[in-house]
Structure formats: structure tokens, C-alpha cells
Amino acid sequence: MQDVFSKLGPLIIGSRLKRMSDYIMRAGAEFYTSKGVDFEPKWFPLYYLLSHEKELGIMDIAQKLNISHPAVIQLAKELEKKGWVTSTKSKEDARKRLLKLSKKGISLLPQLQLIWDDIREVNRQVVESQSTNVLKALEEMEVFFASKSYTERMKEFQDSKKK
Amino acid sequence: MQDVFSKLGPLIIGSRLKRMSDYIMRAGAEFYTSKGVDFEPKWFPLYYLLSHEKELGIMDIAQKLNISHPAVIQLAKELEKKGWVTSTKSKEDARKRLLKLSKKGISLLPQLQLIWDDIREVNRQVVESQSTNVLKALEEMEVFFASKSYTERMKEFQDSKKK
DNA sequence: TATATTTGCGTAATCAATTACGTAACTAAT
DNA sequence: ATTAGTTACGTAATTGATTACGCAAATATA
């Protein structure tokens, strides 16, 4: 992705973010394997969330993780198969199925913590090497679009041109 | 993805990059639709590349775009169906199938250019709003990992802890 | 209380991209 | 000139996530 694309600059922010994200996620997967832990990066958000929140319904999780609810069901299915997560029907609301970490899931935590510490440390090295901090940049983008969405900004730009 | 995750910082660089990338890509798709142009963001890299390079083989493209060659074949199939891309067997190397923009594909370019200009402009606004430039941050990350991969850095960190 | 609407969940179909594998054409080495 | 190895491409299977759809429970409304 050099030469031709170097001049594109802002036009391909999306693709470049995706490429870097894929790269990091893949490296993360490698790392779990190298440590002999049968854990996949995609499980992290759900697992981590449950490790902090005791019990949560499918939709609550989907919202907190900002993914679709079928994705949550799928991830939960995998973690249940591993025996790390169990579910119970809610007594207050019969529609809800509550997820939580099983004992086995909780007992795995310390081992994962160590790995997460390592990942965090290397990521910190990345960030510290930067004169321009990627996390800060992301933070700023999130705030920027929270105040007004990309699509809205597009519309406004269109209108401003017409004048 | 607030509260629980806010303290994670560097641990979830990957997920956050992905989330932002997804967001921008989706907005891009919306924009094409709103302009009544039947073009998908995923086609952009291949289309744009061909608009600059005349003729290219599948593998050349895969390398330049940093995607797998089946992905190129798939994208090409779609663009061929649209009538924007044609292919010919290479005379120098009978294994190669060369892709290029068709006349129809070329004639679409000016219209797309206008849209790309708009996208570029709004993205520029994003970047200019930032005290910390996301493109610069990405650039730095790319350089950082080009000199030594994430996995290598992981290994080194592991070793340094043992001492 | 009956009815309409919303909410929570599950399944199915679809999508975009990958890995794995096979085949044919080219290249290098003997 | 054979053989071995590499390269280019295509297909199939898999992955990870989404949207679309439907059902049942809860909530709001008449």
C-alpha cells in the first residue's frame, strides 16, 4: 500500500485503521498460542466484561461492547463450550438469559491477567515510542464524531458547497 | 465500550482501531448511496489502483493492496460484472491474468473523483481538528512495526523479564 | 381487560475476507 | 531434456461478523 496510495492521505483513513487493527489482533492471537493458552482475542471483550460485571443479559452486553446481539450469542456459545461461562434465566424478566463467568472461568483469570499485562506493556511501548499518540488520536476522533456524526458532517459539507 | 474498558488503555488498541475503522467505512458506504452512485467502499482500493496502473496481474495487486489473492479475484469478479473491469491473458506469461479498467470503468472515474474529493475533504476536517493527528500516529505505528514486528517485540519483552 | 407496541433473544441467511489446497506454467539445476 | 521447485491463479471451506426475520414476554394504551 505505498506509491499510488501515499498521496491519498485522508481518503483512506478507514482502510489504514483496519489494516493496523488486523495486524495487532493477529499478533495478539499468536501471543496467546505461544503462551500455551487456548484463548482467542475476539473473546477478550466479553470475557473481560463478565469478569467485572457478575451477570449481564445478552442485549446489555451487545450495547456495552458495541457489537450485534447475535455476535454476543455466538461468542457466549463458544465460551460456554469452553466451560468458562454459564447462563441462567432471569427471574425478574423471563425473556432474559443472564451470562456470567463459571468457577472454571474465574479460575482462569489470574493466568490471563499475566498475559494481558504483557500485551499492555508492549502496547505501552508502542504508544510511548510515538511522538503522536495513537490512543489520543482515536480518543479525539471518537469525541469528534460523538458530537456530530460523519454522515452529518458530510451533509453539511455538501450544503456549504452549494452556496 | 465505556466504564469498564476506559482503564484498559493500551490493551485494546486493536479493538479500538477496528471500531473506528468500521465506523468510517460504513459512513463511506452511506455516502456513495446518498449520491446515487452504485459503488462500494471495498472496491475503492482495487479500482483506484487500476485507474493509475493500466494493467496488473492478480498477485501484483494482492501485494500492492496487502490483501489475499482470492480477495482480489472476488473483487475483480464483482467489478467485471459491473462492466468496469476487463481481463486479458498475459502474452509474456500464460499463467497471468491481467486486469484493467474498461472504457465504461474509465468513464465512471470523473464522477467518482468528485465523491472522493468530498470524502477527502471531510476526512481532512477530522485530521485538522485533531491536536494529535491520527494519520501521523498510524504512519508511526507502521514504521515502528516495520522495523521490528509486534511478535518479535513480544518475545524480547518476555526475555527481558526473565533476567 | 384486550390490544398494540416494544424488548430480548434465537436462528438463518448473507457478507467480506481468510486459509488450505490443487493445477498449470514458468524457472533453475543437473 | 528431466526433474524439482516456485509462482500465478482458481476453488472450496472456514471464520467472524452482520442484517433480516420471527417468537415470546413485558409494557403501554385504549
Side-chain angles (χ1 to χ4, degrees), chain A residues 1-144:
Chain A
M1 195 86 98
Q2 328 65 326
D3 300 339
V4 188
F5 291 94
S6 61
K7 286 176 193 159
L8 279 171
L11 184 46
I12 48 163
I13 291 182
S15 316
R16 286 184 71 184
L17 287 171
K18 180 169 189 307
R19 189 154 53 116
M20 184 52 69
S21 153
D22 287 349
Y23 177 78
I24 293 177
M25 303 283 247
R26 211 167 314 150
E30 269 181 56
F31 187 57
Y32 285 112
T33 321
S34 80
K35 301 294 276 185
V37 176
D38 191 10
F39 194 89
E40 299 180 26
K42 63 169 171 164
W43 293 334
F44 173 76
L46 174 55
Y47 190 96
Y48 186 83
L49 183 61
L50 290 179
S51 78
H52 280 70
E53 298 250 356
K54 297 279 169 195
E55 270 194 335
L56 281 173
I58 305 287
M59 288 305 294
D60 299 332
I61 294 169
Q63 275 174 14
K64 284 193 191 261
L65 300 185
N66 210 39
I67 58 180
S68 67
H69 83 268
V72 176
I73 292 171
Q74 178 58 32
L75 292 171
K77 218 174 254 173
E78 292 169 22
L79 293 181
E80 286 175 296
K81 199 170 175 184
K82 284 279 173 190
W84 297 332
V85 163
T86 55
S87 72
T88 51
K89 266 214 176 303
S90 163
K91 281 173 187 173
E92 296 86 50
D93 187 337
R95 293 169 303 178
K96 280 195 178 180
R97 182 163 71 96
L98 301 173
L99 299 182
K100 66 175 173 184
L101 288 192
S102 67
K103 277 183 188 171
K104 194 175 161 192
I106 292 169
S107 73
L108 183 68
L109 258 173
Q111 201 180 347
L112 288 175
Q113 297 282 12
L114 292 177
I115 292 182
W116 295 341
D117 286 347
D118 286 353
I119 296 178
R120 184 185 287 114
E121 184 50 38
V122 170
N123 283 1
R124 199 196 315 278
Q125 284 176 18
V126 177
V127 169
E128 275 170 12
S129 82
Q130 299 194 292
S131 72
T132 306
N133 183 324
V134 69
L135 284 175
K136 190 152 182 297
L138 279 176
E139 183 71 37
E140 284 185 13
M141 286 186 85
E142 284 164 10
V143 170
F144 190 76

Side-chain angles (χ1 to χ4, degrees), chain B residues 60-74:
Chain B
D60 300 332
I61 295 170
Q63 275 173 14
K64 283 192 193 262
L65 300 186
N66 209 37
I67 57 179
S68 67
H69 83 266
V72 176
I73 292 170
Q74 178 57 32

Side-chain angles (χ1 to χ4, degrees), chain A residues 1 10 16 23 30 35 64 118 121 123 130-132 136-137 139-140 142 150-151 157-158 161, chain B residues 1 10 16 23 30 35 64 118 121 123 130-131 136-137 139-140 142 150-151 157-158 161:
Chain A
M1 195 86 98
R16 286 184 71 184
Y23 177 78
E30 269 181 56
K35 301 294 276 185
K64 284 193 191 261
D118 286 353
E121 184 50 38
N123 283 1
Q130 299 194 292
S131 72
T132 306
K136 190 152 182 297
E139 183 71 37
E140 284 185 13
E142 284 164 10
Y150 196 102
T151 305
F157 178 61
Q158 298 293 305
K161 279 202 310 184
Chain B
M1 193 86 96
R16 287 184 71 183
Y23 178 78
E30 268 181 57
K35 300 295 274 186
K64 283 192 193 262
D118 286 352
E121 184 50 37
N123 284 0
Q130 299 194 290
S131 72
K136 189 151 183 296
E139 183 71 38
E140 285 186 13
E142 284 164 9
Y150 197 101
T151 306
F157 177 60
Q158 297 293 304
K161 278 203 308 185

Side-chain angles (χ1 to χ4, degrees), chain B residues 5-145:
Chain B
F5 291 95
S6 59
K7 286 176 193 162
L8 278 171
L11 184 48
I12 48 162
I13 291 182
S15 315
R16 287 184 71 183
L17 288 170
K18 179 167 188 308
R19 188 154 55 119
M20 184 52 67
S21 154
D22 286 351
Y23 178 78
I24 293 177
M25 303 283 247
R26 210 168 313 151
E30 268 181 57
F31 187 58
Y32 285 113
T33 321
S34 81
K35 300 295 274 186
V37 176
D38 190 11
F39 194 89
E40 298 180 27
K42 63 170 171 163
W43 293 333
F44 172 76
L46 175 55
Y47 190 95
Y48 186 83
L49 183 61
L50 291 179
S51 79
H52 280 72
E53 298 250 356
K54 297 279 171 195
E55 271 193 333
L56 280 174
I58 305 285
M59 287 307 294
D60 300 332
I61 295 170
Q63 275 173 14
K64 283 192 193 262
L65 300 186
N66 209 37
I67 57 179
S68 67
H69 83 266
V72 176
I73 292 170
Q74 178 57 32
L75 292 171
K77 219 174 253 172
E78 293 170 23
L79 293 181
E80 285 176 297
K81 200 169 175 183
K82 284 277 172 192
W84 298 333
V85 162
T86 55
S87 71
T88 50
K89 266 214 176 303
S90 164
K91 281 173 187 172
E92 295 87 50
D93 187 337
R95 292 169 304 178
K96 281 195 177 178
R97 182 163 73 96
L98 301 174
L99 299 181
K100 66 175 173 185
L101 288 191
S102 67
K103 277 183 188 171
K104 193 175 162 192
I106 292 169
S107 74
L108 182 68
L109 257 174
Q111 202 180 345
L112 288 175
Q113 297 281 11
L114 292 177
I115 292 181
W116 295 341
D117 286 346
D118 286 352
I119 296 178
R120 184 185 287 113
E121 184 50 37
V122 170
N123 284 0
R124 198 195 318 277
Q125 284 177 19
V126 177
V127 169
E128 274 169 12
S129 83
Q130 299 194 290
S131 72
T132 306
N133 182 323
V134 69
L135 283 175
K136 189 151 183 296
L138 278 175
E139 183 71 38
E140 285 186 13
M141 286 186 85
E142 284 164 9
V143 170
F144 189 75
F145 288 128

